[in-house]
Amino acid sequence: MFSKILIANRGEIAVRVIKTCRRMGIKTVVVYSDADAGSMAVEMADEAVHIGGSPAAQSYLVADKIIDAVRQTGAEAIHPGFGFLSENAAFAKRLEEEGIGWIGPNAFAIDSMGDKISSKKLAAEAGVSTVPGHMGLIEDIREAIKISRQIGYPVMIKASAGGGGKGIRVAANDKEVEEGFPAVKAEAKASFGDDRVFIEKFILEPRHIEIQVLGDKHGNCLWLNERECSIQRRNQKVIEEAPSPLLDPETRKKMGEQAVALAKAVNYDSAGTVEFVASGKDKGFYFLEMNTRLQVEHPVTEMITGVDLVEQMIRSAYGEKLKLKQSDIKINGWAVESRVYAEDPYRNFLPSIGRLKRFHPPAEGKLGKGEVRMDSGVREGDEISIFYDPMIAKLVTWGKDRDTALDVHGEALDRFHIEGIQDNIPFIAAVMDEKRFRSGDITTAYIKDQFPEGFQGVAPTKEQELQLISAAAYVHAFFSRRAGQVSGKIAAAAKPRRDWVVILGDAHHPVTIDLGGNGDAQIAVNGAKAHSLVTSWQPGQHLVEGVLDGKPFAVKFADRTEGYLFRSRGVALRALVCTPMVADLHARLPEKPKADTSKLVISPMPGLVVSMDVALGQDVQEGEAVCIVEAMKMQNIIRAAANGKVKAINVKAGDSVAADEIMVEFA
């Protein structure tokens, strides 16, 4: 077995590989850029080698630097993780020529299957049903429009070397092709160093289902069931699960056997994924592409099969035969994974960068009726930078069935606390409780269909409302009692107040609370029968966790200048606790008018100005592109909210901008 492996990646996947290597007794080396100098992966690895500047093009995408690190440290093989050079056939071939182990499939398989165009041709030749599209490369916008019309709208414009949701646009007409084609080429060039683009038919109401395959260098190959990856936003997966709620055993077997046949056609000898688009109506499926690497969502497969895919990749690369047989692969329970991203769901999921002032993930292990697994590469105090993917962590839960796995996932999200940047946890939590999602009736358009106006939070259920009111009343009463204490005893003149009003959002809720001495309380809300609360919460903690009327709950808590901010699932509400008289006065306060920003073009996120597409004095129409701002490898077209004449331009191409910075002003 290898004695030392170099991990040519960063973040959570680097940490993930290190964990398996430690268990196998293999020493690890990580490479790192300027931005990752103090990262968790660098801390955990046995050795670390600096390879350049923060942009991936100066570090993680530079093959020479990675190979130099191998020579410098004496590593015997490279694990590429996902992204960066993981599907670069030329890199794999070069390692083979230089006698360096490659923990991934052979270069021929990568070249044949990793490229979306060649893989579709190979699949078609093998008799595999494929999505209609143009298999050749497309040179310019005029040709792209012509081909799109021939295929028939809507179409999907995709980077040939794409992955991770980058380099993809859906176009419903000529104008959207005109805008999307150059954007895809630019993203492809920036993310993969390859700007080749192709176009295929966009299947309406599709489901994204993928089959995990595993092969060795002795001709053995098997499939490890499927993953449902239909919950996507901007073509990037957000929530994955295994198995799929759509498939029956017969369809699962057909997809698995087809995936293995395709893998064997290129002598596939590592972990890989064959992706299909499936119809929710008739369970028909079409080959999309093959990812010749480890997938981000591999943990859900590991949770239901008990197979460590990273270990199997390492053993296969070393030349060992697969010890597993197809009959060994079972489905044990259900697993769900959510990707926790550094983005603001309340602002159209725009990227958020900054320092993690607090990072308290749920504990791994048993929770409720299931299990929790956390895959992350960050710690409290780390910085989320502009240079890489916005994923902070992957939360994975397991249960005996789908409902249990989802319930445990919601409970884990309740206990996941982040401060310093915005995160998408409220959105994920809202999805976990959403009726259509719980039914399993989902498509890749689920987020667009269910949240057509974007995500603005959800209203609390009666149960959640009671939890928030009880938590607010307890916290405030606790603070009030402590403020009235003298030398550990309650002063005679400072008997704790029992009657309060909890203003939750805009609603007033009179409460009566009697505090016990051991984290217990009796709380009557709106004059109803008292509820029993038991909690271990103490000042300084940011999670109010306890049992209300015998049922466990957890809500996130932050002390604000006026009142408290509570979060529960997709609910975020300010709670103001005051005396009945103050509550009455508060209801009389006038609302503060919102600022008029209609004549301003404001950067919705921190990023880099790629282009400024208007000039001083120019008349601009509503919806017209004003500029392009890039963050975390994604280009965002900023459009005018109203008609106007350009009065001032405050930034230019190449400038960095902060969130809410005024870029353009209209007269």
Side-chain angles (χ1 to χ4, degrees):
M1 179 49 62
F2 299 118
S3 60
K4 185 186 290 188
I5 287 173
L6 183 141
I7 303 165
N9 217 297
R10 62 175 302 279
E12 66 89 11
I13 187 56
V15 171
R16 162 73 187 89
V17 175
I18 289 171
K19 289 179 179 178
T20 288
C21 287
R22 281 182 173 179
R23 184 174 55 78
M24 296 177 70
I26 301 171
K27 291 185 177 180
T28 54
V29 180
V30 295
V31 291
Y32 66 92
S33 68
D34 290 344
D36 290 331
S39 68
M40 186 175 176
V42 169
E43 180 182 286
M44 289 180 63
D46 296 294
E47 299 176 62
V49 179
H50 177 251
I51 55 169
S54 298
Q58 298 176 18
S59 49
Y60 298 107
L61 288 171
V62 184
D64 288 342
K65 292 183 177 181
I66 292 172
I67 291 174
D68 286 345
V70 170
R71 301 301 186 203
Q72 179 182 331
T73 60
E76 299 161 275
I78 288 177
H79 195 300
F82 41 69
F84 298 137
L85 295 172
S86 63
E87 293 180 284
N88 188 309
F91 182 60
K93 182 66 175 176
R94 181 177 170 186
L95 295 183
E96 180 184 352
E97 293 170 349
E98 298 196 21
I100 300 171
W102 170 249
I103 304 174
N106 61 81
F108 173 74
I110 297 174
D111 194 36
S112 300
M113 300 302 294
D115 182 280
K116 292 178 175 61
I117 293 175
S118 63
S119 67
K120 285 182 183 295
K121 289 181 178 178
L122 182 61
E125 291 170 2
V128 178
S129 177
T130 60
V131 178
H134 181 79
M135 294 298 100
L137 296 174
I138 299 147
E139 297 298 331
D140 54 35
I141 293 174
R142 180 179 297 179
E143 186 183 3
I145 291 174
K146 179 181 178 182
I147 290 169
S148 298
R149 289 174 177 174
Q150 291 172 346
I151 295 172
Y153 290 111
V155 298
M156 184 175 286
I157 308 167
K158 302 180 73 172
S160 179
K166 298 180 181 67
I168 299 177
R169 289 288 192 283
V170 175
N173 51 54
D174 290 356
K175 184 178 180 181
E176 291 183 5
V177 173
E178 187 176 339
E179 290 182 350
F181 182 77
V184 169
K185 286 182 75 71
E187 286 180 10
K189 185 68 174 178
S191 297
F192 315 109
D194 182 347
D195 68 351
R196 292 178 299 159
V197 171
F198 71 103
I199 296 176
E200 66 184 13
K201 180 72 174 177
F202 180 67
I203 305 299
L204 297 174
E205 300 184 9
R207 293 179 75 134
H208 186 125
I209 297 176
E210 58 190 32
I211 300 289
Q212 176 71 56
V213 296
L214 187 63
D216 63 20
K217 298 182 183 300
H218 305 277
N220 301 304
C221 189
L222 51 81
W223 53 280
L224 292 89
N225 304 310
E226 81 281 2
R227 296 185 287 259
E228 172 91 47
C229 306
S230 297
I231 307 300
Q232 303 178 9
R233 184 189 50 74
R234 297 174 187 156
N235 303 299
Q236 189 171 48
K237 299 165 189 173
V238 178
I239 298 171
E240 303 101 349
E241 56 185 304
S244 164
L246 174 69
L247 299 193
D248 54 41
E250 181 182 358
T251 307
R252 176 178 296 116
K253 187 171 184 289
K254 287 180 180 178
M255 293 180 77
E257 290 175 348
Q258 184 170 316
V260 167
L262 203 56
K264 283 187 173 182
V266 290
N267 299 317
Y268 204 84
D269 52 353
S270 186
T273 299
V274 180
E275 300 196 348
F276 296 91
V277 57
S279 168
K281 294 181 180 180
D282 59 12
K283 298 182 183 177
F285 54 88
Y286 302 90
F287 170 72
L288 275 178
E289 61 186 357
M290 184 173 190
N291 288 306
T292 54
R293 55 169 168 80
L294 190 68
Q295 289 281 85
V296 174
E297 58 273 18
H298 74 274
V300 291
T301 295
E302 294 182 329
M303 295 289 274
I304 66 166
T305 63
V307 177
D308 185 326
L309 292 171
V310 173
E311 177 183 348
Q312 294 302 320
M313 291 179 75
I314 293 171
R315 293 191 181 282
S316 176
Y318 191 69
E320 293 185 8
K321 286 186 178 181
L322 275 175
K323 294 181 181 179
L324 296 167
K325 296 180 180 178
Q326 192 63 59
S327 58
D328 297 327
I329 307 303
K330 309 295 183 182
I331 297 178
N332 175 29
W334 210 284
V336 178
E337 172 183 297
S338 62
R339 304 188 188 189
V340 178
Y341 286 122
E343 59 187 16
D344 189 346
Y346 300 99
R347 300 182 68 175
N348 198 28
F349 300 94
L350 290 170
S352 177
I353 62 174
R355 194 164 299 281
L356 292 167
K357 294 179 180 178
R358 294 187 186 276
F359 182 73
H360 296 168
E364 290 192 297
K366 185 171 177 57
L367 177 63
K369 296 180 180 180
E371 300 283 334
V372 173
R373 167 176 167 176
M374 274 296 306
D375 281 20
S376 179
V378 298
R379 305 146 301 184
E380 191 166 282
D382 285 348
E383 186 171 353
I384 305 300
S385 79
I386 196 174
F387 299 103
Y388 311 115
D389 188 279
M391 189 168 65
I392 304 170
K394 299 184 303 195
L395 173 63
V396 189
T397 57
W398 177 91
K400 65 178 182 179
D401 51 37
R402 187 172 188 262
D403 282 342
T404 303
L406 294 177
D407 288 343
V408 175
H409 210 90
E411 293 176 38
L413 289 166
D414 287 342
R415 292 158 176 80
F416 203 144
H417 182 64
I418 296 174
E419 286 186 20
I421 61 168
Q422 300 301 317
D423 60 74
N424 66 336
I425 290 175
F427 173 72
I428 299 169
V431 171
M432 288 296 139
D433 287 338
E434 198 277 320
K435 184 178 179 181
R436 179 183 165 194
F437 175 73
R438 295 290 296 214
S439 75
D441 178 22
I442 53 179
T443 71
T444 54
Y446 167 84
I447 292 178
K448 184 178 179 181
D449 291 344
Q450 297 303 122
F451 304 91
E453 303 301 322
F455 181 72
Q456 302 301 326
V458 296
T461 63
K462 290 295 183 182
E463 183 178 48
Q464 289 171 331
E465 185 176 71
L466 178 60
Q467 291 169 355
L468 294 172
I469 293 169
S470 299
Y474 181 85
V475 166
H476 193 79
F478 189 102
F479 281 140
S480 179
R481 182 174 70 177
R482 189 176 67 167
Q485 289 179 342
V486 178
S487 300
K489 296 181 180 180
I490 300 176
K495 187 176 180 180
R497 187 182 190 100
R498 298 179 64 246
D499 60 319
W500 299 95
V501 175
V502 177
I503 303 175
L504 193 64
D506 296 324
H508 289 224
H509 302 277
V511 301
T512 302
I513 179 167
D514 292 296
L515 292 179
N518 297 301
D520 59 305
Q522 294 294 312
I523 306 172
V525 181
N526 297 325
K529 181 181 177 181
H531 300 275
S532 176
L533 171 69
V534 179
T535 176
S536 59
W537 177 84
Q538 292 291 322
Q541 295 179 351
H542 294 266
L543 183 71
V544 181
E545 188 171 5
V547 177
L548 184 64
D549 293 338
K551 185 172 182 179
F553 78 99
V555 296
K556 296 162 192 173
F557 155 76
D559 199 350
R560 292 292 185 253
T561 303
E562 184 181 25
Y564 314 103
L565 178 65
F566 283 95
R567 294 183 183 274
S568 175
R569 302 296 167 99
V571 178
L573 287 174
R574 189 188 69 163
L576 180 64
V577 185
C578 50
T579 65
M581 183 180 73
V582 172
D584 182 61
L585 294 173
H586 190 276
R588 302 168 187 263
L589 292 174
E591 288 189 15
K592 183 179 179 180
K594 294 183 178 180
D596 181 10
T597 60
S598 61
K599 294 185 178 181
L600 304 175
V601 175
I602 299 172
S603 177
M605 61 184 180
L608 182 73
V609 179
V610 176
S611 67
M612 179 56 65
D613 302 320
V614 296
L616 282 174
Q618 180 179 333
D619 289 322
V620 178
Q621 302 299 310
E622 178 183 351
E624 188 174 342
V626 174
C627 60
I628 297 176
V629 176
E630 180 179 271
M632 294 175 173
K633 303 180 187 177
M634 297 294 287
Q635 292 195 350
N636 295 271
I637 301 173
I638 312 301
R639 302 180 184 278
N643 297 344
K645 184 187 289 283
V646 178
K647 171 184 168 184
I649 299 176
N650 302 323
V651 296
K652 62 182 183 303
D655 286 352
S656 294
V657 291
D660 297 325
E661 182 173 338
I662 298 173
M663 299 185 292
V664 177
E665 301 176 48
F666 293 144

